[in-house]
Amino acid sequence: MPRFFYPLLALSQLLAVILLVLTGYWTGHLLGGFAWDGSEQQFNLHPLLMILGLVFLHGDAILMFRIFRKENKTVVKVIHLVMHVATLICIVIALKATFSYHRHAGYANLYSAHSWIGLLTVLLFFMQWVGGFVSYFLPWLNSDKRAELLPFHRFFGIAIFTMACTTSLIGLNEKLFVNY
């Protein structure tokens, strides 16, 4: 393992926590907080939960196999799975908040590049989650098939993470520049 791995890992975690704190401050304080009543405060859950889920938790879930490379694989798989279940919960709540807010405010759904790229990202995440669960967590495939699928699983995990980061940036720009 490269000698700069752990310092870069620590830096990435610090930056991720700063991102979450700033997003929480922005949505929780500057944009008026959170609610579940169809108001703009309900929509504020969307950016916070999507960044928490698809950027922070999904990104950390990817890193688990590097951080704990010498630990029991089954334990690391369970950690990986739990982090992705938490990501899925964040996604579902964030999407419900958005669609419910749009319906209540009379806005159209899926009207921007952010929403379509985001929908594709979420669909790919869900397909990756189901495929990973069936292939690696349940003992349905033999070890040769799992090894054959692993490069694809890794590639799509990183691609989905990249799409999530890109979609987040597009969404933040849309919120900052289009809605104000």
Side-chain angles (χ1 to χ4, degrees):
M1 183 159 319
R3 69 179 197 191
F4 294 114
F5 177 76
Y6 288 107
L8 289 174
L9 175 66
L11 178 64
S12 76
Q13 295 306 292
L14 177 65
L15 292 174
V17 168
I18 289 170
L19 172 67
L20 283 171
V21 168
L22 290 175
T23 305
Y25 178 75
W26 176 55
T27 55
H29 180 70
L30 298 178
L31 295 182
F34 307 101
W36 197 267
D37 58 2
S39 67
E40 291 221 14
Q41 285 71 36
Q42 180 173 324
F43 179 82
N44 290 345
L45 290 165
H46 179 79
L48 183 62
L49 290 174
M50 285 301 202
I51 290 172
L52 173 63
L54 278 169
V55 176
F56 183 72
L57 292 173
H58 178 59
D60 276 4
I62 290 170
L63 290 171
M64 287 301 109
F65 287 100
R66 293 285 179 245
I67 296 170
F68 300 117
R69 68 179 7 193
K70 294 181 182 175
E71 302 300 322
N72 180 308
K73 282 242 193 239
T74 303
V75 171
V76 179
K77 280 183 185 180
V78 170
I79 293 169
H80 187 75
L81 175 67
V82 167
M83 292 181 85
H84 277 120
V85 168
T87 300
L88 200 54
I89 291 167
C90 287
I91 290 169
V92 168
I93 295 169
L95 288 178
K96 173 67 176 152
T98 299
F99 286 116
S100 177
Y101 163 69
H102 282 185
R103 185 179 65 253
H104 187 268
Y107 297 149
N109 290 312
L110 304 172
Y111 60 87
S112 66
H114 164 75
S115 55
W116 284 103
I117 297 168
L119 183 62
L120 178 60
T121 303
V122 167
L123 290 173
L124 288 173
F125 176 84
F126 182 72
M127 290 172 18
Q128 171 86 339
W129 190 89
V130 169
F133 185 80
V134 169
S135 301
Y136 298 105
F137 199 74
L138 298 178
W140 291 358
L141 295 178
N142 64 36
S143 59
D144 290 339
K145 277 287 182 202
R146 286 188 211 157
E148 189 178 310
L149 291 175
L150 190 57
F152 297 101
H153 186 70
R154 285 179 178 160
F155 171 81
F156 281 105
I158 293 168
I160 292 164
F161 176 73
T162 303
M163 288 176 69
C165 291
T166 303
T167 305
S168 296
L169 291 172
I170 294 169
L172 291 171
N173 277 318
E174 181 179 302
K175 181 72 175 165
L176 291 171
F177 298 113
V178 174
N179 294 338
Y180 287 113

